[in-house]
Amino acid sequence: MTVDLFAGIPVRDYTVAASWYARLLGADPSFLPNDTEAVWELAEHRYLYIEVRPSHAGCAMQTVFVSDFDARLAEIAGRGLEPAERETYANGVRKAIFRDPDGNEIGFGGAPV
């Protein structure tokens, strides 16, 4: 059985959000289903998408766990974005939290060093 995951993020301004997420994710959207949505494929069958929904903007919380945590953060920094927060949990798992222009939280998690 194949399961596809689409994690949605409500935004106010499509142009501003699409540009910010392209910088964060290092690529243009994988596809554009319509004039109010943009979709990035993070891995096979795993998608992150923005959708213009002003009344819900700023309330999303997503975390993407990656095996290349340090390299990923360095790449994102090279595109001009820095995490708003960094956390290290008692078990050593690390998390870097980014906030988009609407205040939505996108975290990248990584295994202990």
Side-chain angles (χ1 to χ4, degrees), residues 38-49:
V39 182
W40 286 263
E41 185 173 18
L42 304 180
E44 188 174 12
H45 304 291
R46 295 165 188 92
Y47 302 89
L48 185 72
Y49 72 96

Side-chain angles (χ1 to χ4, degrees), residues 25-101:
L25 300 172
D28 289 332
S30 302
F31 62 94
L32 306 168
N34 56 54
D35 292 344
T36 63
E37 293 179 81
V39 182
W40 286 263
E41 185 173 18
L42 304 180
E44 188 174 12
H45 304 291
R46 295 165 188 92
Y47 302 89
L48 185 72
Y49 72 96
I50 60 168
E51 181 177 4
V52 176
R53 297 185 71 190
S55 63
H56 292 86
C59 297
M61 291 175 32
Q62 313 289 347
T63 300
V64 179
F65 204 88
V66 296
S67 61
D68 61 346
F69 181 79
D70 295 315
R72 179 79 50 120
L73 293 185
E75 290 170 6
I76 294 169
R79 294 189 294 271
L81 297 175
E82 292 291 334
E85 297 176 41
R86 291 179 184 252
E87 301 174 347
T88 301
Y89 300 105
N91 63 359
V93 170
R94 300 165 294 155
K95 184 177 180 183
I97 299 168
F98 295 84
R99 289 202 176 76
D100 74 9

